[in-house]
Amino acid sequence: MLIVAALAVWIAGWALNHWLARRRERWVPLISALIFGATLLLIWELLVRGLAVPAVILPPPSAIAARLADPATQGLLWGDFVQTFVKGALSGFVIGSGAAFVVAVVTDRSPFLQRGLLPVGNFVAALPIIGMAPIMVMWFGFGWQSKAAIVVVMVFFPMLVNTVAGLKETDALQRDLMRTYAAGYWQTLLKLRLPAAAPFIFNGLKIASTLALIGAIVAEFFGSPTRGMGFRISTEVGRLSLDMVWAVIAVAAVAGSAFYGGIALLERAATFWHPSQRER
Amino acid sequence: MRSVLPVLTVVAAILVIWYGAAVWLNSAWAQDRAARADVELSLGALVADTLSQDKPKLPAPHQVAVELWETVAEKNVTSKRSLVYHGWITLSATLLGFTLGTGLGILLAIGIVHDRAMNNSVMPWLIASQTIPILAIAPMIIVVLNSVGISGLLPKALISTYLSFFPVAVGMVKGLRSPDAMQLDQMRTWNASRSQAFAKLRWPSAMPYLFASLKIAVAAALVGAIVGELPAGAAGGLGARLLAGSYYGQTIQIWSALFAAAALAAVMVGLIGLVQRVVLARMGMVR
């Protein structure tokens, strides 16, 4: 019965979105995204109940929501969030992307170094750097410092490659124009090349933002104090209380989306002039 | 070829820094041991000791190279101590996941490009889905699937699939939309059907985007397979090797597993680059 209901929900959501897609108002994409999300959650709930899936395999969304609403859980999750996201991911993100930015600006003055650094950086960016997590835990201990360290290493090369590519974005005509204005190196950098590089820099920051949270969480699998999202996930899986695990995942997903969204908003504010920001 | 010398310079600089760091990080332990044995270490002896410890904080490059040589070339490939054996376990999961992920990504992209409702509803969730740190819940997926009797290659491959479908889907959406309005209008004036426009215009012009995404996807698939091997009880693979090394403080083993993983990633990305060059050349799209 519930399975039939799930099927009905799916068809209803699908039909509703198709009906909405013919309209061209601004709010349509937002609403249809919400409808799709709600449909998914409803189908999940109905299928889990209809097929009698045990809660140790996949808890229904209502159980997860109940877990999230519990004040005791909220306190625990807040502690995990501060430990993993604020201390580990955020500090690593700031240090790593900041360092990459500085290195990119410095190497920008030497074409020789650039030609060497870009291929190596591109290469390193494709490697499974996350494997360094156990090494970082050995070097910097179980605390948040080792998590920040792995995040620094993970975000450094994507950020470096993007910034270096961005600094090359201006063409000879624009640089010549700056020279005819008698602009020095720093003036050219600040007023012409960094603004031109901004879309690339923000691209690097966006990539880094998703890497940061993942790095901080996975590093906790190799040892952590008794709090943190990675610690919570691995211990609660061991105790088979999957509703708690999913609650942590929900927090991580919201935190990650908010982080990415925040950078995207900053990007829109800072690079509003760029063609990629125009309406399709 | 202009960049060979600069690249070599950068690599040489990295090696120098690495050796320096190895001496610096490992000297504490060497000094400690010397102090306990009541001997004064000369600089030469100190350097020699830091570069040849059994469980160094940072193994020197040549130690990693020796370990790699021993575990790749000198061990029988079926031996559990052979990196080829572990590498193959990881590689097979990676390739299965990569294939599934690429197929899924392309299908999704085709749906999104051709169906406005799907674009409105699925695309935002596709992006949001990537902010779920799937790597973080990979161990859970493995444990849970194991409890329902699915174990071995498939769970790891599923994580690889999840990680690799996103770059492919996003790249293909961009690629399938890359023909401009003029070209699409031209197809219309020729009375081409939607499927003809797809096969003759959209699909070929998406090829450069596809290959760029495939390179990212294959690297992501490898990371997924490695993290999928982290839960204790994984029978083998580079991830299990990393975890075992971290349990027993075998730093040289960790670093050699890391390098094996890096080499795997590099080879796969290189292979895709090769296919890309051949395919694009035959399509007359070489820049």
PDB file of all heavy atoms in Angstrom, chain A residues 136-168:
ATOM      1  N   MET A 136      49.394  13.142   8.724  1.00  0.00           N
ATOM      2  CA  MET A 136      49.159  14.389   9.443  1.00  0.00           C
ATOM      3  C   MET A 136      48.765  14.125  10.896  1.00  0.00           C
ATOM      4  O   MET A 136      49.159  14.851  11.800  1.00  0.00           O
ATOM      5  CB  MET A 136      48.051  15.190   8.754  1.00  0.00           C
ATOM      6  CG  MET A 136      48.462  15.737   7.407  1.00  0.00           C
ATOM      7  SD  MET A 136      49.928  16.761   7.563  1.00  0.00           S
ATOM      8  CE  MET A 136      50.403  16.928   5.867  1.00  0.00           C
ATOM      9  N   VAL A 137      47.960  13.051  11.093  1.00  0.00           N
ATOM     10  CA  VAL A 137      47.575  12.724  12.463  1.00  0.00           C
ATOM     11  C   VAL A 137      48.811  12.338  13.270  1.00  0.00           C
ATOM     12  O   VAL A 137      48.950  12.674  14.444  1.00  0.00           O
ATOM     13  CB  VAL A 137      46.514  11.597  12.475  1.00  0.00           C
ATOM     14  CG1 VAL A 137      46.257  11.117  13.890  1.00  0.00           C
ATOM     15  CG2 VAL A 137      45.225  12.087  11.858  1.00  0.00           C
ATOM     16  N   MET A 138      49.762  11.631  12.613  1.00  0.00           N
ATOM     17  CA  MET A 138      50.999  11.270  13.319  1.00  0.00           C
ATOM     18  C   MET A 138      51.821  12.501  13.665  1.00  0.00           C
ATOM     19  O   MET A 138      52.453  12.563  14.712  1.00  0.00           O
ATOM     20  CB  MET A 138      51.836  10.371  12.415  1.00  0.00           C
ATOM     21  CG  MET A 138      51.629   8.910  12.680  1.00  0.00           C
ATOM     22  SD  MET A 138      52.649   7.997  11.539  1.00  0.00           S
ATOM     23  CE  MET A 138      51.684   6.536  11.430  1.00  0.00           C
ATOM     24  N   TRP A 139      51.852  13.463  12.751  1.00  0.00           N
ATOM     25  CA  TRP A 139      52.711  14.628  12.969  1.00  0.00           C
ATOM     26  C   TRP A 139      52.119  15.615  13.962  1.00  0.00           C
ATOM     27  O   TRP A 139      52.816  16.172  14.790  1.00  0.00           O
ATOM     28  CB  TRP A 139      52.958  15.358  11.645  1.00  0.00           C
ATOM     29  CG  TRP A 139      53.900  14.662  10.742  1.00  0.00           C
ATOM     30  CD1 TRP A 139      54.538  13.483  10.988  1.00  0.00           C
ATOM     31  CD2 TRP A 139      54.328  15.092   9.451  1.00  0.00           C
ATOM     32  NE1 TRP A 139      55.324  13.153   9.920  1.00  0.00           N
ATOM     33  CE2 TRP A 139      55.214  14.121   8.972  1.00  0.00           C
ATOM     34  CE3 TRP A 139      54.034  16.196   8.667  1.00  0.00           C
ATOM     35  CZ2 TRP A 139      55.820  14.221   7.724  1.00  0.00           C
ATOM     36  CZ3 TRP A 139      54.641  16.302   7.428  1.00  0.00           C
ATOM     37  CH2 TRP A 139      55.526  15.328   6.964  1.00  0.00           C
ATOM     38  N   PHE A 140      50.824  15.869  13.830  1.00  0.00           N
ATOM     39  CA  PHE A 140      50.242  16.986  14.576  1.00  0.00           C
ATOM     40  C   PHE A 140      49.320  16.524  15.696  1.00  0.00           C
ATOM     41  O   PHE A 140      48.631  17.339  16.298  1.00  0.00           O
ATOM     42  CB  PHE A 140      49.476  17.911  13.628  1.00  0.00           C
ATOM     43  CG  PHE A 140      50.350  18.591  12.616  1.00  0.00           C
ATOM     44  CD1 PHE A 140      50.435  18.110  11.317  1.00  0.00           C
ATOM     45  CD2 PHE A 140      51.114  19.691  12.964  1.00  0.00           C
ATOM     46  CE1 PHE A 140      51.251  18.720  10.385  1.00  0.00           C
ATOM     47  CE2 PHE A 140      51.932  20.308  12.033  1.00  0.00           C
ATOM     48  CZ  PHE A 140      52.005  19.823  10.750  1.00  0.00           C
ATOM     49  N   GLY A 141      49.263  15.228  15.958  1.00  0.00           N
ATOM     50  CA  GLY A 141      48.456  14.767  17.078  1.00  0.00           C
ATOM     51  C   GLY A 141      46.995  14.578  16.696  1.00  0.00           C
ATOM     52  O   GLY A 141      46.591  14.797  15.569  1.00  0.00           O
ATOM     53  N   PHE A 142      46.184  14.177  17.696  1.00  0.00           N
ATOM     54  CA  PHE A 142      44.794  13.832  17.440  1.00  0.00           C
ATOM     55  C   PHE A 142      43.880  15.052  17.365  1.00  0.00           C
ATOM     56  O   PHE A 142      42.744  14.945  16.950  1.00  0.00           O
ATOM     57  CB  PHE A 142      44.283  12.888  18.543  1.00  0.00           C
ATOM     58  CG  PHE A 142      44.845  11.515  18.418  1.00  0.00           C
ATOM     59  CD1 PHE A 142      45.023  10.713  19.535  1.00  0.00           C
ATOM     60  CD2 PHE A 142      45.208  11.005  17.181  1.00  0.00           C
ATOM     61  CE1 PHE A 142      45.543   9.440  19.416  1.00  0.00           C
ATOM     62  CE2 PHE A 142      45.732   9.736  17.055  1.00  0.00           C
ATOM     63  CZ  PHE A 142      45.897   8.957  18.187  1.00  0.00           C
ATOM     64  N   GLY A 143      44.341  16.199  17.825  1.00  0.00           N
ATOM     65  CA  GLY A 143      43.476  17.389  17.930  1.00  0.00           C
ATOM     66  C   GLY A 143      43.119  17.967  16.579  1.00  0.00           C
ATOM     67  O   GLY A 143      43.364  17.360  15.530  1.00  0.00           O
ATOM     68  N   TRP A 144      42.543  19.173  16.589  1.00  0.00           N
ATOM     69  CA  TRP A 144      42.062  19.768  15.342  1.00  0.00           C
ATOM     70  C   TRP A 144      43.225  20.194  14.456  1.00  0.00           C
ATOM     71  O   TRP A 144      43.044  20.390  13.255  1.00  0.00           O
ATOM     72  CB  TRP A 144      41.143  20.949  15.618  1.00  0.00           C
ATOM     73  CG  TRP A 144      41.772  22.074  16.370  1.00  0.00           C
ATOM     74  CD1 TRP A 144      41.788  22.232  17.718  1.00  0.00           C
ATOM     75  CD2 TRP A 144      42.501  23.174  15.816  1.00  0.00           C
ATOM     76  NE1 TRP A 144      42.479  23.365  18.036  1.00  0.00           N
ATOM     77  CE2 TRP A 144      42.925  23.969  16.900  1.00  0.00           C
ATOM     78  CE3 TRP A 144      42.832  23.571  14.522  1.00  0.00           C
ATOM     79  CZ2 TRP A 144      43.669  25.124  16.729  1.00  0.00           C
ATOM     80  CZ3 TRP A 144      43.576  24.732  14.350  1.00  0.00           C
ATOM     81  CH2 TRP A 144      43.989  25.498  15.453  1.00  0.00           C
ATOM     82  N   GLN A 145      44.428  20.342  15.039  1.00  0.00           N
ATOM     83  CA  GLN A 145      45.552  20.830  14.234  1.00  0.00           C
ATOM     84  C   GLN A 145      45.865  19.902  13.074  1.00  0.00           C
ATOM     85  O   GLN A 145      46.147  20.352  11.953  1.00  0.00           O
ATOM     86  CB  GLN A 145      46.806  20.988  15.103  1.00  0.00           C
ATOM     87  CG  GLN A 145      46.731  22.093  16.124  1.00  0.00           C
ATOM     88  CD  GLN A 145      46.102  21.636  17.427  1.00  0.00           C
ATOM     89  OE1 GLN A 145      45.508  20.552  17.494  1.00  0.00           O
ATOM     90  NE2 GLN A 145      46.206  22.449  18.464  1.00  0.00           N
ATOM     91  N   SER A 146      45.795  18.571  13.321  1.00  0.00           N
ATOM     92  CA  SER A 146      46.100  17.639  12.234  1.00  0.00           C
ATOM     93  C   SER A 146      45.045  17.726  11.145  1.00  0.00           C
ATOM     94  O   SER A 146      45.336  17.555   9.961  1.00  0.00           O
ATOM     95  CB  SER A 146      46.192  16.208  12.769  1.00  0.00           C
ATOM     96  OG  SER A 146      44.998  15.838  13.385  1.00  0.00           O
ATOM     97  N   LYS A 147      43.783  18.020  11.544  1.00  0.00           N
ATOM     98  CA  LYS A 147      42.719  18.153  10.536  1.00  0.00           C
ATOM     99  C   LYS A 147      42.948  19.398   9.697  1.00  0.00           C
ATOM    100  O   LYS A 147      42.820  19.375   8.469  1.00  0.00           O
ATOM    101  CB  LYS A 147      41.351  18.228  11.218  1.00  0.00           C
ATOM    102  CG  LYS A 147      40.812  16.890  11.675  1.00  0.00           C
ATOM    103  CD  LYS A 147      41.583  16.361  12.827  1.00  0.00           C
ATOM    104  CE  LYS A 147      41.307  14.935  13.152  1.00  0.00           C
ATOM    105  NZ  LYS A 147      42.262  14.432  14.154  1.00  0.00           N
ATOM    106  N   ALA A 148      43.309  20.501  10.382  1.00  0.00           N
ATOM    107  CA  ALA A 148      43.591  21.728   9.647  1.00  0.00           C
ATOM    108  C   ALA A 148      44.763  21.498   8.688  1.00  0.00           C
ATOM    109  O   ALA A 148      44.744  21.978   7.551  1.00  0.00           O
ATOM    110  CB  ALA A 148      43.915  22.865  10.622  1.00  0.00           C
ATOM    111  N   ALA A 149      45.766  20.708   9.133  1.00  0.00           N
ATOM    112  CA  ALA A 149      46.945  20.487   8.293  1.00  0.00           C
ATOM    113  C   ALA A 149      46.574  19.747   7.017  1.00  0.00           C
ATOM    114  O   ALA A 149      47.005  20.136   5.919  1.00  0.00           O
ATOM    115  CB  ALA A 149      47.998  19.699   9.069  1.00  0.00           C
ATOM    116  N   ILE A 150      45.741  18.708   7.121  1.00  0.00           N
ATOM    117  CA  ILE A 150      45.389  17.962   5.903  1.00  0.00           C
ATOM    118  C   ILE A 150      44.544  18.846   4.995  1.00  0.00           C
ATOM    119  O   ILE A 150      44.680  18.803   3.762  1.00  0.00           O
ATOM    120  CB  ILE A 150      44.690  16.614   6.231  1.00  0.00           C
ATOM    121  CG1 ILE A 150      44.483  15.793   4.959  1.00  0.00           C
ATOM    122  CG2 ILE A 150      43.350  16.782   6.866  1.00  0.00           C
ATOM    123  CD1 ILE A 150      45.732  15.259   4.380  1.00  0.00           C
ATOM    124  N   VAL A 151      43.706  19.699   5.591  1.00  0.00           N
ATOM    125  CA  VAL A 151      42.908  20.612   4.765  1.00  0.00           C
ATOM    126  C   VAL A 151      43.830  21.586   4.025  1.00  0.00           C
ATOM    127  O   VAL A 151      43.642  21.857   2.836  1.00  0.00           O
ATOM    128  CB  VAL A 151      41.883  21.372   5.633  1.00  0.00           C
ATOM    129  CG1 VAL A 151      41.176  22.432   4.810  1.00  0.00           C
ATOM    130  CG2 VAL A 151      40.874  20.408   6.213  1.00  0.00           C
ATOM    131  N   VAL A 152      44.856  22.087   4.728  1.00  0.00           N
ATOM    132  CA  VAL A 152      45.815  23.003   4.092  1.00  0.00           C
ATOM    133  C   VAL A 152      46.423  22.337   2.862  1.00  0.00           C
ATOM    134  O   VAL A 152      46.451  22.904   1.764  1.00  0.00           O
ATOM    135  CB  VAL A 152      46.922  23.410   5.083  1.00  0.00           C
ATOM    136  CG1 VAL A 152      48.063  24.107   4.349  1.00  0.00           C
ATOM    137  CG2 VAL A 152      46.370  24.323   6.157  1.00  0.00           C
ATOM    138  N   VAL A 153      46.889  21.095   3.026  1.00  0.00           N
ATOM    139  CA  VAL A 153      47.536  20.405   1.904  1.00  0.00           C
ATOM    140  C   VAL A 153      46.537  20.167   0.778  1.00  0.00           C
ATOM    141  O   VAL A 153      46.859  20.316  -0.410  1.00  0.00           O
ATOM    142  CB  VAL A 153      48.132  19.057   2.368  1.00  0.00           C
ATOM    143  CG1 VAL A 153      48.804  18.353   1.212  1.00  0.00           C
ATOM    144  CG2 VAL A 153      49.123  19.288   3.485  1.00  0.00           C
ATOM    145  N   MET A 154      45.283  19.824   1.144  1.00  0.00           N
ATOM    146  CA  MET A 154      44.299  19.506   0.103  1.00  0.00           C
ATOM    147  C   MET A 154      43.905  20.730  -0.710  1.00  0.00           C
ATOM    148  O   MET A 154      43.699  20.632  -1.917  1.00  0.00           O
ATOM    149  CB  MET A 154      43.054  18.883   0.733  1.00  0.00           C
ATOM    150  CG  MET A 154      43.202  17.414   1.020  1.00  0.00           C
ATOM    151  SD  MET A 154      41.752  16.776   1.815  1.00  0.00           S
ATOM    152  CE  MET A 154      40.667  16.560   0.427  1.00  0.00           C
ATOM    153  N   VAL A 155      43.748  21.897  -0.057  1.00  0.00           N
ATOM    154  CA  VAL A 155      43.243  23.057  -0.794  1.00  0.00           C
ATOM    155  C   VAL A 155      44.364  23.818  -1.482  1.00  0.00           C
ATOM    156  O   VAL A 155      44.105  24.620  -2.370  1.00  0.00           O
ATOM    157  CB  VAL A 155      42.440  24.028   0.109  1.00  0.00           C
ATOM    158  CG1 VAL A 155      41.326  23.298   0.800  1.00  0.00           C
ATOM    159  CG2 VAL A 155      43.315  24.737   1.098  1.00  0.00           C
ATOM    160  N   PHE A 156      45.622  23.584  -1.081  1.00  0.00           N
ATOM    161  CA  PHE A 156      46.712  24.425  -1.578  1.00  0.00           C
ATOM    162  C   PHE A 156      46.833  24.374  -3.103  1.00  0.00           C
ATOM    163  O   PHE A 156      46.844  25.414  -3.762  1.00  0.00           O
ATOM    164  CB  PHE A 156      48.029  23.993  -0.918  1.00  0.00           C
ATOM    165  CG  PHE A 156      49.194  24.867  -1.262  1.00  0.00           C
ATOM    166  CD1 PHE A 156      49.408  26.051  -0.583  1.00  0.00           C
ATOM    167  CD2 PHE A 156      50.065  24.512  -2.273  1.00  0.00           C
ATOM    168  CE1 PHE A 156      50.471  26.866  -0.896  1.00  0.00           C
ATOM    169  CE2 PHE A 156      51.130  25.328  -2.603  1.00  0.00           C
ATOM    170  CZ  PHE A 156      51.332  26.506  -1.908  1.00  0.00           C
ATOM    171  N   PHE A 157      46.908  23.170  -3.669  1.00  0.00           N
ATOM    172  CA  PHE A 157      47.226  23.083  -5.095  1.00  0.00           C
ATOM    173  C   PHE A 157      46.074  23.506  -6.016  1.00  0.00           C
ATOM    174  O   PHE A 157      46.321  24.233  -6.982  1.00  0.00           O
ATOM    175  CB  PHE A 157      47.764  21.697  -5.430  1.00  0.00           C
ATOM    176  CG  PHE A 157      49.147  21.512  -4.900  1.00  0.00           C
ATOM    177  CD1 PHE A 157      49.378  20.813  -3.732  1.00  0.00           C
ATOM    178  CD2 PHE A 157      50.233  22.098  -5.535  1.00  0.00           C
ATOM    179  CE1 PHE A 157      50.664  20.687  -3.216  1.00  0.00           C
ATOM    180  CE2 PHE A 157      51.515  21.971  -5.025  1.00  0.00           C
ATOM    181  CZ  PHE A 157      51.723  21.269  -3.875  1.00  0.00           C
ATOM    182  N   PRO A 158      44.825  23.104  -5.740  1.00  0.00           N
ATOM    183  CA  PRO A 158      43.744  23.629  -6.582  1.00  0.00           C
ATOM    184  C   PRO A 158      43.715  25.154  -6.575  1.00  0.00           C
ATOM    185  O   PRO A 158      43.543  25.799  -7.617  1.00  0.00           O
ATOM    186  CB  PRO A 158      42.477  23.067  -5.932  1.00  0.00           C
ATOM    187  CG  PRO A 158      42.915  21.888  -5.175  1.00  0.00           C
ATOM    188  CD  PRO A 158      44.330  22.125  -4.769  1.00  0.00           C
ATOM    189  N   MET A 159      43.914  25.723  -5.398  1.00  0.00           N
ATOM    190  CA  MET A 159      43.895  27.183  -5.266  1.00  0.00           C
ATOM    191  C   MET A 159      45.071  27.803  -6.026  1.00  0.00           C
ATOM    192  O   MET A 159      44.914  28.801  -6.730  1.00  0.00           O
ATOM    193  CB  MET A 159      43.984  27.504  -3.771  1.00  0.00           C
ATOM    194  CG  MET A 159      43.781  28.933  -3.423  1.00  0.00           C
ATOM    195  SD  MET A 159      42.128  29.487  -3.798  1.00  0.00           S
ATOM    196  CE  MET A 159      42.425  31.244  -3.716  1.00  0.00           C
ATOM    197  N   LEU A 160      46.244  27.200  -5.893  1.00  0.00           N
ATOM    198  CA  LEU A 160      47.440  27.725  -6.561  1.00  0.00           C
ATOM    199  C   LEU A 160      47.254  27.717  -8.075  1.00  0.00           C
ATOM    200  O   LEU A 160      47.479  28.729  -8.751  1.00  0.00           O
ATOM    201  CB  LEU A 160      48.656  26.870  -6.178  1.00  0.00           C
ATOM    202  CG  LEU A 160      49.985  27.281  -6.786  1.00  0.00           C
ATOM    203  CD1 LEU A 160      50.471  28.554  -6.137  1.00  0.00           C
ATOM    204  CD2 LEU A 160      51.024  26.197  -6.608  1.00  0.00           C
ATOM    205  N   VAL A 161      46.811  26.573  -8.594  1.00  0.00           N
ATOM    206  CA  VAL A 161      46.658  26.436 -10.041  1.00  0.00           C
ATOM    207  C   VAL A 161      45.654  27.451 -10.567  1.00  0.00           C
ATOM    208  O   VAL A 161      45.882  28.121 -11.573  1.00  0.00           O
ATOM    209  CB  VAL A 161      46.225  24.997 -10.383  1.00  0.00           C
ATOM    210  CG1 VAL A 161      45.795  24.897 -11.825  1.00  0.00           C
ATOM    211  CG2 VAL A 161      47.354  24.029 -10.100  1.00  0.00           C
ATOM    212  N   ASN A 162      44.545  27.624  -9.841  1.00  0.00           N
ATOM    213  CA  ASN A 162      43.527  28.566 -10.293  1.00  0.00           C
ATOM    214  C   ASN A 162      44.017  30.005 -10.250  1.00  0.00           C
ATOM    215  O   ASN A 162      43.752  30.783 -11.163  1.00  0.00           O
ATOM    216  CB  ASN A 162      42.262  28.420  -9.441  1.00  0.00           C
ATOM    217  CG  ASN A 162      41.337  27.394 -10.006  1.00  0.00           C
ATOM    218  OD1 ASN A 162      40.774  27.583 -11.062  1.00  0.00           O
ATOM    219  ND2 ASN A 162      41.219  26.274  -9.327  1.00  0.00           N
ATOM    220  N   THR A 163      44.729  30.359  -9.174  1.00  0.00           N
ATOM    221  CA  THR A 163      45.176  31.749  -9.058  1.00  0.00           C
ATOM    222  C   THR A 163      46.216  32.066 -10.121  1.00  0.00           C
ATOM    223  O   THR A 163      46.176  33.127 -10.750  1.00  0.00           O
ATOM    224  CB  THR A 163      45.752  32.008  -7.659  1.00  0.00           C
ATOM    225  OG1 THR A 163      44.849  31.509  -6.694  1.00  0.00           O
ATOM    226  CG2 THR A 163      45.964  33.484  -7.421  1.00  0.00           C
ATOM    227  N   VAL A 164      47.171  31.144 -10.335  1.00  0.00           N
ATOM    228  CA  VAL A 164      48.191  31.385 -11.355  1.00  0.00           C
ATOM    229  C   VAL A 164      47.540  31.533 -12.726  1.00  0.00           C
ATOM    230  O   VAL A 164      47.863  32.446 -13.499  1.00  0.00           O
ATOM    231  CB  VAL A 164      49.226  30.234 -11.361  1.00  0.00           C
ATOM    232  CG1 VAL A 164      50.126  30.349 -12.571  1.00  0.00           C
ATOM    233  CG2 VAL A 164      50.061  30.272 -10.105  1.00  0.00           C
ATOM    234  N   ALA A 165      46.564  30.660 -13.017  1.00  0.00           N
ATOM    235  CA  ALA A 165      45.863  30.758 -14.299  1.00  0.00           C
ATOM    236  C   ALA A 165      45.122  32.090 -14.398  1.00  0.00           C
ATOM    237  O   ALA A 165      45.103  32.728 -15.449  1.00  0.00           O
ATOM    238  CB  ALA A 165      44.884  29.597 -14.457  1.00  0.00           C
ATOM    239  N   GLY A 166      44.534  32.527 -13.281  1.00  0.00           N
ATOM    240  CA  GLY A 166      43.793  33.769 -13.286  1.00  0.00           C
ATOM    241  C   GLY A 166      44.682  34.972 -13.530  1.00  0.00           C
ATOM    242  O   GLY A 166      44.299  35.909 -14.237  1.00  0.00           O
ATOM    243  N   LEU A 167      45.887  34.947 -12.959  1.00  0.00           N
ATOM    244  CA  LEU A 167      46.791  36.091 -13.117  1.00  0.00           C
ATOM    245  C   LEU A 167      47.280  36.229 -14.553  1.00  0.00           C
ATOM    246  O   LEU A 167      47.801  37.269 -14.941  1.00  0.00           O
ATOM    247  CB  LEU A 167      47.981  35.953 -12.168  1.00  0.00           C
ATOM    248  CG  LEU A 167      47.645  36.221 -10.701  1.00  0.00           C
ATOM    249  CD1 LEU A 167      48.820  35.893  -9.806  1.00  0.00           C
ATOM    250  CD2 LEU A 167      47.230  37.669 -10.503  1.00  0.00           C
ATOM    251  N   LYS A 168      47.112  35.155 -15.344  1.00  0.00           N
ATOM    252  CA  LYS A 168      47.522  35.234 -16.753  1.00  0.00           C
ATOM    253  C   LYS A 168      46.390  35.760 -17.622  1.00  0.00           C
ATOM    254  O   LYS A 168      46.532  35.855 -18.836  1.00  0.00           O
ATOM    255  CB  LYS A 168      47.875  33.830 -17.252  1.00  0.00           C
ATOM    256  CG  LYS A 168      49.219  33.341 -16.822  1.00  0.00           C
ATOM    257  CD  LYS A 168      49.547  32.112 -17.641  1.00  0.00           C
ATOM    258  CE  LYS A 168      50.789  31.446 -17.156  1.00  0.00           C
ATOM    259  NZ  LYS A 168      50.721  30.013 -17.462  1.00  0.00           N
TER     260      LYS A 168
END
